[in-house]
Amino acid sequence: AAARTVDSSELADRARQQLQALGVDPVQIQEAAESAALVGMLNIYYRFRHMLGSPEAYRTAGLRMTGIARPAMGKERFEMLAFAISVLNGCEACTQAHEKTLRDAGLSTDKIHDLARLGAVVKGIALL
C-alpha cells in the first residue's frame, strides 16, 4: 500500500512478490493495493476540509467507502495501512484518527512509530 501511495510500481511489484512467497492470501494482497487508492481519496477530501478550517460546513464526505467496511485483512491491519498511507499523504486529520484507532486497539506507540518510519523509508527508496 505504501509503495502504491508513492507511485512506485517497482516497489509495489516487489512487495507483491514477497507477500506471495510468504503465502499471503491473494485477496489480501489486492486489498492492500486498493487501500492506497481508497485511503488516498479520503486523505485528499479530509485535507480539503482541514484547509478550510470550517469542516462543519461539509459534514458528509459523500464518498463511497464500502471497500473498508469488512476488510479481508482484518480491521487492525487495514488501520495500520490507512495510518501509513495517511502519513505519506500528509493528511493530519486522517493520521490523527487512525493513530487513535490503533492506540485504542492496543497497538504500542513503538509499533505505530514503526509504521510512520516504514512510510518514510518507502518514500525515500521510491525517490532513488
Side-chain angles (χ1 to χ4, degrees), residues 16-105:
R16 182 180 294 273
Q17 291 167 4
Q18 291 296 312
L19 290 169
Q20 288 170 340
L22 291 170
V24 174
D25 180 356
V27 171
Q28 292 182 22
I29 295 171
Q30 184 60 33
E31 190 173 74
E34 292 168 357
S35 294
L38 184 61
V39 174
M41 172 184 71
L42 295 170
N43 290 159
I44 295 297
Y45 179 78
Y46 286 106
R47 277 185 14 218
F48 146 76
R49 284 182 46 172
H50 180 76
M51 284 186 265
L52 292 180
S54 58
E56 62 280 350
Y58 302 94
R59 291 190 181 273
T60 305
L63 301 170
R64 295 199 41 110
M65 298 180 274
T66 54
I68 60 173
R70 285 188 274 278
M73 69 180 74
K75 280 287 205 186
E76 186 175 293
R77 187 164 286 158
F78 174 80
E79 284 294 329
M80 291 167 65
L81 290 178
F83 173 78
I85 293 165
S86 296
V87 168
L88 280 166
N89 286 331
C91 182
E92 182 178 349
C94 293
T95 299
Q96 289 175 353
H98 292 297
E99 190 263 350
K100 181 181 181 329
T101 300
L102 290 170
R103 279 188 296 110
D104 290 349

Side-chain angles (χ1 to χ4, degrees), residues 2 6 84-85 87-88 113-125:
V6 298
I85 293 165
V87 168
L88 280 166
H113 195 198
D114 286 344
L115 293 167
R117 287 190 294 234
L118 174 65
V121 169
V122 168
K123 177 68 174 184
I125 290 171

